[in-house]
Amino acid sequence: MERLDEESADLDFLEENLRKTEALTEKMTSMLNVFDDRLVRLEASILPIHKSTQTLSKLVDNIDKTRGGVLEIIGYFELVEREEMTIKRGPNENDLEPYLNSINKCNKAMEILGSMRLKSSEKVLAAILQLEDIFRQWLISRSTPIEPLAYIAKSTEIPGIPSGPLKNLATLSSYLATYSPELGYSSDFVKAYIDVRSNYLVKSLTLLGQASISTAEKRSTPVYEKGTCGFNSYTDSLLKMFKKEYEVAESILTHDNVAAGFRGAIQQSFDNFVEIGKTLNNRVKKNMQTDVFLAFDMMESLNKNVVAFEEIFRLAGKKDSSYADLLHSLRAVALRSFPEFLDEIKSHRTKTSGLPNDVTVHELTITTLQQLKRLTDYPETVESTLLTLGDGNWNVSEKDPLSSRDKGGRGASGNIIMKHYFAKTYKKPALTSIFLLNNYHYILKSIRSQFLSVLDSEIEFKHDKLVKKYNDAYQDSWKSCFGFLLDYTYVRGGTFKTNNDKQTVKEKFKNFNTEFDELYKVHKGYAIPDLELRTQVIKDIRDVLIPMYNRFLEKPEVWRIVRCGFKIAKPKWCNADDL
């Protein structure tokens, strides 16, 4: 019984091992099936590459063998020239061997050439043509258009052709360039390269070119703002694409064909670029007031990249003048904008309908300074343009009080805003003064906040003096009121008489209050939009008026009248923040 139990235990142990073995077998079978699937997929991936490699290897071997056979045939043709002198000299009596060997060689060559019938050259040419077609197809497969801006936005390099396919294309190019001339055939593989890569560049850059025009035409602001046109991105992308294209051409084509291939590949894309630049420039010409800064934006981009484009032209082996012509035409439009800008300012001098009734800052002052502020966004471009314009072509009137010079000694358009012509149309001197004060103060604040880096400090000093001048002129409009608080009255003939009697003092109070109320009522309608300036003007008036009034009240003769029963009401302006 014990033995039976032992055998039963052994049987259970064996069955357990069998189950484990079966489980392992199933896992191994599953793993092997997975390996089989992966091997099938790997084979499916590698097989095309393997076949392509085999095809290329066969082509290379066939070309090598063909070349060897061709060279052998050529050797037979050249044999006559090599042996001609020996045969012409005739046999040497002392040594017949060289002469006989020459004859034997010629006879053998004739027999071999006669048996070949010379049909092999046709097969070699067919192989070369097939090789050209393969070169084109492989190049097309590696020239899928891209969106260059996506790579530039991520600060990544523009992709070229992977090293493996690039090496294969270089091998085909080398064979076609080397063996075609030996067979008396001129291969068109360089033309194939130009056709394929030119199409690749044109398609890759087309959207950027179209965006350059659409962003200029469909902007959200009435006046062009810096950087809102896609032309600058178009320029950067074009340059990066061209630089990468030269790397591709240099890697694929033989040294003698690199410049021609590169030049042909980029030519159409560059022509399109210049044409879009001309289209945008024509738009600027038609909309000078709103789009002129588009020309400055384009000039800044083109000026910045002059050296880079010159390097592209050098690599292409041919300088293209259309780039310089585009830059010149943009500069001509920019130059035209300055005289037109001045004419626009001058045209307002004769207009009075546009003057603000509340003598606030004139719209022309605001728009002109906005225009000048935009110019400071292009300092180098504006500077070079002004140098081209020169001092003699500004046509700025010497009467313009704000005409001055910038730090470089050139006429600064920021100082041509002339308000005297407008101010003269106001009938009241106070209106003239407050109007000029508002405008000059606005200009002064703009100089200090926006233009100090480009204008001479003398201009700031000059406008500061002008602000003080017209502030003082405005204070003078209150003299008629202040005069009633003086102890003396001016009499015709240049003499003064003292005003100390009771009736005269009463009249002074009455006239002062009446005059003040009238001035207060009128001047309260004048606008001083700048709070700081308004506070200062009010303070200056109060600093003169209140001390004079208090001194007048403190005089003995005034108090004698008060004691006699004359009541003096406290003026409402004493506590008024706005006078």
Side-chain angles (χ1 to χ4, degrees):
M1 189 67 178
E2 292 180 358
R3 185 174 181 177
L4 182 60
D5 291 338
E6 290 178 357
E7 289 179 353
S8 177
D10 291 340
L11 181 60
D12 291 339
F13 176 75
L14 291 173
E15 288 177 348
E16 180 65 25
N17 287 340
L18 181 61
R19 284 194 296 272
K20 291 181 179 180
T21 303
E22 288 176 349
L24 291 173
T25 301
E26 289 179 358
K27 289 182 179 179
M28 292 179 67
T29 302
S30 176
M31 291 175 66
L32 290 172
N33 289 334
V34 171
F35 286 150
D36 286 341
D37 291 339
R38 291 182 177 179
L39 287 172
V40 169
R41 290 197 296 270
L42 181 61
E43 182 182 8
S45 300
I46 294 177
L47 188 59
I49 299 175
H50 177 67
K51 289 181 178 179
S52 178
T53 304
Q54 283 183 328
T55 301
L56 181 59
S57 298
K58 289 179 181 179
L59 286 172
V60 172
D61 291 338
N62 289 337
I63 290 174
D64 286 337
K65 291 176 182 179
T66 302
R67 181 174 179 272
V70 170
L71 293 176
E72 182 180 358
I73 294 173
I74 292 174
Y76 289 133
F77 281 107
E78 293 176 348
L79 179 65
V80 176
E81 295 181 2
R82 292 198 302 269
E83 302 299 330
E84 184 177 8
M85 296 304 297
T86 302
I87 295 174
K88 283 184 176 181
R89 284 196 302 265
N92 189 337
E93 294 181 357
N94 297 322
D95 186 10
L96 296 174
E97 188 69 20
Y99 183 80
L100 294 175
N101 286 338
S102 294
I103 294 177
N104 290 333
K105 288 177 183 179
C106 290
N107 288 332
K108 184 179 180 180
M110 290 175 64
E111 291 176 359
I112 294 174
L113 292 174
S115 64
M116 287 183 176
R117 299 180 183 178
L118 299 178
K119 291 183 178 179
S120 58
S121 60
E122 297 177 2
K123 296 181 180 179
V124 173
L125 289 177
I128 292 295
L129 292 174
Q130 186 180 12
L131 203 60
E132 285 181 2
D133 187 60
I134 292 174
F135 176 80
R136 178 185 289 272
Q137 294 303 320
W138 283 10
L139 190 59
I140 290 174
S141 68
R142 296 296 176 177
S143 300
T144 303
I146 64 170
E147 293 183 9
L149 194 58
Y151 295 92
I152 294 176
K154 297 178 182 178
S155 299
T156 55
E157 187 178 357
I158 297 293
I161 296 177
S163 58
L166 193 68
K167 185 177 180 181
N168 291 338
L169 287 166
T171 301
L172 291 178
S173 171
S174 178
Y175 270 90
L176 290 169
T178 303
Y179 298 143
S180 296
E182 294 180 0
L183 299 174
Y185 170 72
S186 178
S187 175
D188 287 338
F189 75 97
V190 176
K191 183 179 182 302
Y193 177 89
I194 291 173
D195 291 343
V196 173
R197 297 301 292 179
S198 176
N199 184 62
Y200 159 75
L201 290 173
V202 168
K203 289 186 176 179
S204 297
L205 293 166
T206 294
L207 287 179
L208 281 172
Q210 294 173 348
S212 298
I213 296 176
S214 62
T215 52
E217 293 177 344
K218 301 176 182 179
R219 60 172 180 266
S220 58
T221 56
V223 179
Y224 178 79
E225 297 291 341
K226 183 177 182 179
T228 55
C229 177
F231 185 80
N232 294 352
S233 298
Y234 182 27
T235 305
D236 294 339
S237 299
L238 184 87
L239 273 174
K240 290 184 182 295
M241 292 286 287
F242 283 3
K243 290 176 181 177
K244 179 57 65 175
E245 185 59 31
Y246 182 76
E247 294 178 11
V248 172
E250 192 176 32
S251 299
I252 292 178
L253 301 176
T254 57
H255 178 73
D256 294 339
N257 293 315
V258 171
F262 175 61
R263 181 170 61 251
I266 68 172
Q267 189 63 57
Q268 187 58 55
S269 296
F270 180 74
D271 290 344
N272 293 346
F273 170 76
V274 172
E275 192 60 33
I276 288 174
K278 291 179 180 179
T279 300
L280 292 173
N281 192 36
N282 289 334
R283 174 180 173 80
V284 174
K285 291 178 182 178
K286 296 176 182 178
N287 305 276
M288 288 290 289
Q289 292 186 352
T290 59
D291 287 13
V292 66
F293 289 101
L294 170 58
F296 282 103
D297 214 3
M298 294 171 65
M299 285 172 61
E300 184 176 64
S301 178
L302 295 179
N303 281 325
K304 178 183 68 175
N305 292 305
V306 164
V307 175
F309 273 101
E310 286 179 350
E311 177 64 12
I312 294 296
F313 299 145
R314 185 189 68 80
L315 295 174
K318 181 183 179 182
K319 187 171 183 179
D320 198 314
S321 62
S322 56
Y323 184 87
D325 292 342
L326 174 60
L327 190 55
H328 178 76
S329 61
L330 286 167
R331 184 176 289 112
V333 172
L335 286 172
R336 199 182 91 188
S337 70
F338 289 106
E340 290 189 6
F341 177 45
L342 298 182
D343 290 340
E344 179 66 19
I345 294 174
K346 292 176 182 178
S347 67
H348 282 75
R349 295 174 175 174
T350 56
K351 297 177 182 178
T352 59
S353 59
L355 290 174
N357 294 327
D358 59 356
V359 294
T360 188
V361 180
H362 197 282
E363 180 184 359
L364 180 61
T365 304
I366 298 173
T367 57
T368 301
L369 288 173
Q370 289 174 346
Q371 188 92 339
L372 297 175
K373 178 60 178 69
R374 292 191 181 95
L375 285 175
T376 62
D377 292 336
Y378 312 95
E380 295 180 1
T381 303
V382 172
E383 182 178 3
S384 64
T385 305
L386 292 178
L387 286 172
T388 303
L389 187 63
D391 287 345
N393 298 315
W394 276 86
N395 297 324
V396 182
S397 171
E398 293 180 358
K399 296 181 180 180
D400 289 344
L402 299 182
S403 297
S404 187
R405 316 291 288 177
D406 68 4
K407 289 184 177 181
R410 295 170 296 280
S413 57
N415 304 310
I416 324 166
I417 308 168
M418 175 54 189
K419 293 301 174 187
H420 282 301
Y421 295 89
F422 296 130
K424 288 180 180 178
T425 62
Y426 290 111
K427 295 180 179 180
K428 296 182 179 181
L431 285 173
T432 298
S433 299
I434 205 70
F435 176 77
L436 292 172
L437 177 62
N438 276 328
N439 282 272
Y440 279 122
H441 184 266
Y442 183 86
I443 296 170
L444 178 62
K445 288 191 69 173
S446 298
I447 290 172
R448 289 172 173 170
S449 62
Q450 300 174 346
F451 300 110
L452 277 182
S453 61
V454 296
L455 295 178
D456 196 289
S457 59
E458 180 184 348
I459 296 176
E460 179 191 5
F461 176 73
K462 174 181 178 180
H463 285 81
D464 186 57
K465 287 182 63 177
L466 287 168
V467 169
K468 292 177 181 177
K469 173 184 175 181
Y470 291 108
N471 187 18
D472 292 342
Y474 175 67
Q475 304 297 323
D476 290 343
S477 64
W478 289 81
K479 283 185 176 181
S480 60
C481 180
F482 298 161
F484 293 111
L485 301 178
L486 297 175
D487 293 335
Y488 298 96
T489 301
Y490 179 77
V491 180
R492 186 182 300 274
T495 62
F496 293 88
K497 68 177 182 178
T498 304
N499 300 309
N500 293 326
D501 58 278
K502 179 179 178 181
Q503 186 62 33
T504 301
V505 171
K506 290 182 179 181
E507 287 295 324
K508 279 180 173 286
F509 272 113
K510 179 182 177 182
N511 293 336
F512 170 79
N513 288 327
T514 301
E515 181 70 13
F516 182 87
D517 289 343
E518 290 179 358
L519 287 174
Y520 178 80
K521 181 179 180 181
V522 172
H523 286 220
K524 192 174 182 180
Y526 299 165
I528 302 181
D530 186 89
L531 181 60
E532 180 183 352
L533 177 62
R534 180 180 180 84
T535 302
Q536 183 62 45
V537 169
I538 293 174
K539 180 179 180 300
D540 291 343
I541 296 175
R542 291 171 67 95
D543 287 349
V544 175
L545 178 61
I546 293 177
M548 287 185 66
Y549 188 83
N550 288 335
R551 283 196 301 271
F552 185 78
L553 288 178
E554 292 171 357
K555 293 193 175 294
E557 56 271 20
V558 175
W559 282 109
R560 283 197 297 270
I561 298 173
V562 172
R563 285 196 298 270
C564 293
F566 180 72
K567 294 182 179 181
I568 301 175
K570 186 177 182 180
K572 61 183 178 181
W573 50 263
C574 288
N575 297 321
D577 291 335
D578 59 352
L579 284 175

